[in-house]
């Protein structure tokens, strides 16, 4: 039989697309009684199929019937399918209603949507039962790309072993073993051809799961294929993720280091992903409860509670969609440099973007803000409709330029303060011009800020090496326990070079005056410092030398003259951690009263005091070896008799710095308290 047929008219869907527009037939059949020997081929624009082998019509059996298939137009199967070099062979044996099918399939490349499989080979021997077809699968692939959401990046040297079950238009599997250098897991597959529902999940371990701009994670899943009450199927289980590396500095600072998270997850034929019992632990943040869902329509629901070492209790409630959310965020004490507390932020959808309305308390009084982020059309725009900090109003509009930096102006006025910040783009770098004036500003709040007068003029450009030109002047200003009679700071820093001068005079329970003059170069900063505190003059005998570096600053050994034959020699490193080494020669302990005015200390100390703290989260270590003569402590009630003592302490328990001094500070006038487990005193 030879000719062409319009067989596509008899079918629908992918089968019709493969046979269209017409199929060429070239088939020869040789009959011997009720045995048929077939040899031929079927071809169309989309495929070629070769047939060779026998049929036993008497016993209704296949007799080694061989099929050879070549796919020419992959999009005929589905618009999202792309492929190169797809070939398959199969051999059918056994009864027509329950044959066995030995098959092999190969593809140079096979792509479905964004998932691309390179150098794919599959083989197996399927069997047909009365109620289902079982298809064993043994496969290999050189590489699978596009699995970022499932596997966190490309998989290489992939092996796939297991079974597929087909029945009534459904393909199911819960035992496909997926292995590669980064993954060892089961692939759970659900394909409902009648409803057009396709999904899958991983049950096992995935190493080095990469989330761009966030970090790398190791993920363990324990999932099962379950029957849903409505007769469908669902994937249910538990997921555990552990970060091994965090790229994003904001995430890293929020968490304080690597984190471990767990959650129960369920995904059914309704297409809704549900999760519950969300937990996460990290050095600085814990999620103590969380649950929610995500629907195919984009509807999101999330409720979670957390506790942060830096920000206190946190809460989030989210509903709506990503483009039109209704979210409420709460934080007990986020701080953010202004003592922000009791923050309540509400985020809602707005035309072309989002609206943020926030309220809270600060060290400088109550804060409120109403901000719109325009993201849907044109460049990102931040429209500050209203802001208020204890009666000081803020408003402005910032638009992101094509080069990246924001351009616009922020205005502030009220309570005796007026000013503006003009943002501009210096190529790809952000620039800002700041001009602020203040007279008789008094703000409520714990900081007790009162400014008699202030002038701030600054130009800042955030090059790789920042450009800063600033002149800051304040007078008759009080903040917390400090009264500043006059203060001025001038900086001119360009291309890694410049000069800085500072003068501050005031009281903090005791009077002080400090002046500094610095010369800044890319490899070395030199600073001369002199002043007076609690009646003690001090000055650097030669400019202090500071080496700036990418990980912090190193203070080279510097001698500070404290007058009357006393001095201190200091060196150290400052960055994520801090290390200070000091050698003291007859240092008047009254100088500590400038920092702790209630101590009323007197006497002279000779020896060494070393301090080290690796990071802000770690415990400090101190080594104090001091000899103190004429030690006194003065209170409003009495003055102690001069005492002589020696203190030696090395703190391996990492409790606090300067512990030996603290023991002396806690003594009542006229007494020295000893603790043989910690210090040794000679009186």
């Amino acid at each position: 039989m030879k000719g062409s047929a319009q067989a596509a008219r008899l079918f629908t869907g992918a089968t019709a697309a493969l046979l269209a527009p017409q199929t060429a037939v070239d088939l020869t059949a040789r009959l011997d009684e009720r045995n048929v020997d077939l040899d031929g081929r079927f071809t169309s624009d989309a495929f070629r199929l070769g047939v060779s082998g026998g049929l036993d019509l008497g016993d209704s059996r296949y007799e080694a019937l061989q099929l050879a298939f070549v796919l020419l137009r992959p999009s005929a199967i589905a618009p999202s399918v792309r492929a190169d070099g797809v070939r398959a062979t199969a051999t059918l044996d056994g009864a027509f209603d329950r044959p066995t099918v030995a098959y092999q399939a190969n593809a140079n490349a096979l792509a479905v949507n964004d998932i691309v499989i390179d150098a794919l080979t599959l083989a197996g021997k399927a069997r047909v039962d009365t109620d289902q077809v079982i298809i064993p699968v043994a496969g290999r692939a050189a590489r699978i790309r596009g699995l970022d959401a499932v596997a966190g990046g490309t998989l290489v040297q992939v092996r796939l072993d297991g079974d597929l079950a087909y029945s009534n238009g459904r393909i199911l599997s819960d035992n496909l073993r997926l292995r590669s250098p980064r993954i060892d897991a089961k692939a759970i597959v659900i394909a409902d051809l009648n409803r057009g529902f396709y999904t899958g999940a991983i049950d096992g371990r995935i190493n080095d799961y990469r989330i761009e701009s966030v970090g790398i994670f190791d993920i363990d899943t324990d999932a099962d294929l379950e029957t849903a009450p409505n007769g469908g199927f669902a994937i249910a289980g538990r997921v555990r993720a552990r970060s091994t590396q965090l790229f994003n500095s904001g995430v890293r600072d929020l968490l304080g280091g690597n984190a471990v998270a767990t959650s129960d997850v369920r995904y059914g034929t309704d297409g809704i992903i549900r999760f519950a019992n969300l937990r996460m632990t990290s050095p600085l943040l814990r999620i103590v409860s969380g649950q929610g869902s995500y629907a195919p329509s984009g509807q999101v629901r999330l409720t979670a509670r957390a506790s942060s070492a830096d920000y206190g209790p946190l809460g989030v409630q989210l509903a709506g969609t990503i483009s039109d959310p209704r979210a409420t965020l709460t934080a007990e004490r986020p701080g953010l440099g202004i003592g922000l507390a009791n923050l309540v932020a509400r985020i809602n959808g707005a035309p072309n973007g989002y609206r943020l309305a926030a309220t809270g308390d600060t060290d400088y009084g109550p804060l409120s803000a109403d901000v719109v982020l325009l993201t849907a059309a044109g460049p990102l725009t931040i429209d500050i409709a209203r802001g208020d900090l204890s009666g000081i109003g803020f408003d402005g509009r910032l638009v992101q330029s094509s080069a990246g930096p924001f351009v616009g102006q922020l205005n502030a006025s009220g309570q005796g303060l007026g000013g503006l910040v003009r943002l501009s783009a210096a190529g790809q770098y952000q620039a800002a011009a700041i001009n602020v004036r203040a007279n008789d500003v008094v703000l409520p709040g714990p900081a007790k800020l009162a400014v008699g007068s202030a002038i701030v003029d600054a130009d800042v450009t955030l090059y790789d090496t920042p450009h800063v030109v600033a002149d800051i002047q304040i007078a008759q200003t009080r903040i917390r326990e400090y009264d500043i009679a006059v203060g001025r700071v001038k900086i001119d820093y360009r291309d890694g070079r410049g000069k800085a001068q500072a003068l501050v005079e005031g009281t903090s329970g005791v009077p002080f005056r400090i002046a500094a003059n610095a010369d800044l170069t890319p490899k070395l900063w030199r600073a001369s410092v002199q002043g007076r505190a609690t009646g003690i003059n001090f000055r650097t005998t030669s400019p202090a030398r500071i080496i700036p570096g990418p990980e912090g600053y190193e203070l080279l050994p510097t001698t500070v003259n404290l007058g009357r034959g006393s001095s201190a020699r200091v060196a150290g490193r400052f960055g994520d951690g801090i290390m200070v080494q000091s050698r003291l020669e007859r240092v008047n302990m009254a100088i500590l009263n400038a920092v702790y005015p209630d101590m009323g200390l007197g006497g002279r100390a000779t020896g060494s005091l070393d301090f080290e703290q690796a990071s802000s989260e770690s415990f400090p270590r101190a080594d104090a070896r001091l000899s103190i003569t004429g030690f006194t402590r003065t209170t409003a009630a009495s003055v102690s008799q001069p005492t002589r003592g020696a203190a030696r302490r090395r703190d391996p328990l990492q409790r606090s710095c300067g512990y030996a001094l603290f023991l002396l500070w806690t003594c009542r006038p006229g007494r020295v308290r000893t603790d043989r487990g910690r210090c040794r005193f000679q009186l």
Side-chain angles (χ1 to χ4, degrees):
M1 181 173 62
K2 188 173 184 179
S4 61
Q6 294 182 342
R9 300 171 63 179
L10 304 175
F11 301 94
T12 60
T15 303
L18 285 169
L19 297 171
Q22 62 182 13
T23 303
V25 180
D26 184 358
L27 182 64
T28 301
R30 297 180 180 86
L31 280 75
D32 181 7
E33 295 183 353
R34 302 194 68 177
N35 293 321
V36 180
D37 188 11
L38 298 176
D39 184 23
R41 63 188 55 84
F42 301 84
T43 61
S44 74
D45 292 345
F47 77 99
R48 291 199 307 265
L49 177 64
V51 180
S52 177
L55 301 175
D56 185 342
L57 301 181
D59 292 335
S60 299
R61 295 178 59 85
Y62 296 106
E63 298 289 344
L65 181 65
Q66 298 181 4
L67 306 177
F69 176 83
V70 178
L71 183 62
L72 304 176
R73 183 161 53 85
S75 60
I77 297 176
S80 60
V81 175
R82 307 180 307 281
D84 174 54
V86 176
R87 298 173 179 271
T89 61
T91 301
L92 283 71
D93 275 303
F96 285 170
D97 60 344
R98 300 183 66 180
T100 59
V101 183
Y103 70 92
Q104 279 192 327
N106 303 276
N108 297 332
L110 176 64
V112 180
N113 293 322
D114 296 328
I115 299 176
V116 181
I117 306 173
D118 296 324
L120 173 66
T121 63
L122 297 172
K125 191 171 184 179
R127 72 177 188 274
V128 179
D129 296 330
T130 55
D131 57 345
Q132 63 181 354
V133 179
I134 303 298
I135 308 171
V137 175
R140 302 291 185 272
R143 182 167 50 251
I144 302 179
R145 293 171 283 155
L147 287 176
D148 292 29
V150 176
T154 299
L155 299 178
V156 297
Q157 303 175 23
V158 182
R159 293 183 298 162
L160 184 65
D161 300 281
D163 300 299
L164 296 174
Y166 173 82
S167 178
N168 297 324
R170 290 173 176 165
I171 299 176
L172 305 173
S173 178
D174 63 355
N175 70 349
L176 281 176
R177 188 69 176 271
L178 184 64
R179 300 189 187 105
S180 83
R182 288 202 305 107
I183 190 170
D184 185 359
K186 289 190 302 181
I188 299 175
V189 177
I190 300 177
D192 192 330
L193 306 181
N194 301 318
R195 302 175 57 181
F197 176 78
Y198 308 91
T199 189
I202 296 296
D203 179 15
R205 185 180 70 254
I206 304 174
N207 295 328
D208 299 335
Y209 186 106
R210 185 184 186 93
I211 301 177
E212 290 300 329
S213 302
V214 178
I216 296 176
F217 300 80
D218 289 344
I219 297 178
D220 290 289
T221 63
D222 183 7
D224 291 310
L225 188 61
E226 299 180 352
T227 302
N230 60 3
F233 293 89
I235 298 172
R238 188 165 181 79
V239 178
R240 180 181 185 272
R242 179 177 62 87
S243 66
T244 59
Q245 184 179 356
L246 296 173
F247 308 142
N248 188 292
S249 60
V251 173
R252 190 167 55 246
D253 293 343
L254 177 65
L255 300 179
N258 287 316
V260 176
T262 60
S263 179
D264 296 333
V265 180
R266 185 178 184 86
Y267 183 37
T269 53
D270 58 3
I272 299 177
I273 302 173
R274 297 175 174 87
F275 60 92
N277 300 319
L278 175 64
R279 302 286 190 276
M280 189 198 73
T281 58
S282 68
L284 296 182
L285 181 68
R286 292 187 304 113
I287 296 178
V288 297
S289 69
Q291 56 275 330
S293 64
Y294 179 78
S297 62
Q299 291 289 322
V300 180
R301 292 189 177 277
L302 170 65
T303 301
R305 293 188 301 109
S307 177
S308 168
D310 293 332
Y311 306 138
L314 307 174
V316 59
Q317 289 186 330
L318 172 64
T321 65
I322 299 300
S323 59
D324 186 18
R326 300 184 304 279
T328 300
L329 308 177
T330 60
E332 185 173 286
R333 45 179 177 82
L336 302 183
I338 59 173
L340 182 61
N342 304 319
L343 174 67
V344 178
R346 293 178 172 85
I347 302 173
N348 294 282
N352 298 322
Y354 306 92
R355 178 179 293 276
L356 167 66
T359 60
D361 301 320
T362 75
D363 287 348
Y364 310 98
L367 171 70
S368 63
D370 187 355
V371 180
V372 176
L373 279 70
L374 303 176
T375 60
L380 173 62
T381 300
I382 303 174
D383 190 352
I384 303 173
R386 180 189 58 81
D388 186 274
L389 175 61
S390 295
I392 300 175
F394 300 88
D395 63 72
R397 185 180 180 89
L398 307 178
V399 179
Q400 189 173 31
S401 66
S402 58
F406 284 89
V407 176
Q409 181 170 305
L410 299 175
N411 307 297
S413 63
Q415 295 284 58
L417 183 144
L420 54 85
V421 178
R422 291 183 292 267
L423 299 182
S424 60
Q428 62 178 328
Y429 300 100
Q430 183 71 63
I434 304 167
N435 303 101
V436 178
R437 301 292 185 268
N439 287 285
D440 298 326
V441 176
V442 178
L443 300 183
K448 303 176 183 177
L449 178 62
V451 180
S453 64
I455 299 174
V456 178
D457 293 308
D459 288 301
V460 179
T461 304
L462 300 180
Y463 296 119
D464 294 334
T465 301
H467 169 118
V468 180
V469 178
D471 187 355
I472 303 171
Q473 304 175 57
I474 59 175
Q476 304 304 318
T477 296
R478 179 178 178 84
I479 181 168
R480 301 189 189 279
E481 305 304 322
Y482 291 88
D483 281 302
I484 300 174
V486 62
R488 186 169 188 176
V489 176
K490 296 182 68 176
I491 301 172
D492 190 340
Y493 185 67
R494 314 166 193 246
D495 300 322
R497 299 178 180 274
K499 295 186 179 299
Q501 299 91 35
L503 171 66
V504 180
E505 185 172 353
T507 65
S508 60
V510 293
F512 66 86
R513 185 178 188 275
I514 301 173
N517 197 335
D519 180 68
L520 312 175
T521 65
K523 294 185 178 180
L524 182 67
W525 295 356
R526 295 164 56 87
S528 296
V529 181
Q530 64 178 348
R532 184 178 179 86
T534 63
I536 301 172
N537 293 317
F538 61 87
R539 62 179 177 84
T540 53
T541 58
S542 60
R545 296 165 299 160
I546 302 169
I547 300 175
E551 298 181 358
Y553 304 88
E554 180 182 0
L555 172 65
L556 301 180
T558 300
T559 299
V560 180
N561 187 318
L562 299 171
R564 298 179 62 183
S566 63
S567 64
R569 189 167 176 81
V570 183
R573 293 192 304 270
F574 309 88
D576 291 338
I578 183 173
M579 185 276 291
V580 177
Q581 296 175 323
S582 63
R583 301 297 179 263
L584 311 180
E585 181 65 33
R586 301 187 69 249
V587 172
N588 191 337
M589 295 184 65
I591 199 169
L592 294 173
N593 297 331
V595 182
Y596 303 102
D598 295 334
M599 290 297 179
L601 298 178
R604 292 189 174 272
T606 298
S608 65
L609 179 60
D610 298 339
F611 173 86
E612 183 174 2
Q613 188 173 17
S615 68
S616 59
E617 292 82 26
S618 62
F619 288 101
R621 301 184 62 176
D623 187 350
R625 302 165 186 254
L626 300 173
S627 175
I628 304 171
T629 60
F631 174 75
T632 62
R633 182 176 174 217
T634 302
T635 69
S638 61
V639 178
S640 68
Q641 294 296 317
T643 306
R644 181 177 180 178
R648 180 177 180 177
R649 167 146 178 101
R650 186 175 182 86
D651 197 345
L653 299 179
Q654 303 178 340
R655 294 185 180 179
S656 63
C657 66
Y659 189 85
L661 290 178
F662 293 153
L663 286 178
L664 294 175
W665 293 349
T666 56
C667 295
R668 294 195 303 273
R671 296 182 57 190
V672 173
R673 186 174 62 195
T674 64
D675 185 337
R676 296 180 181 275
R678 295 183 173 85
C679 297
R680 183 171 65 250
F681 295 96
Q682 299 172 351
L683 305 179

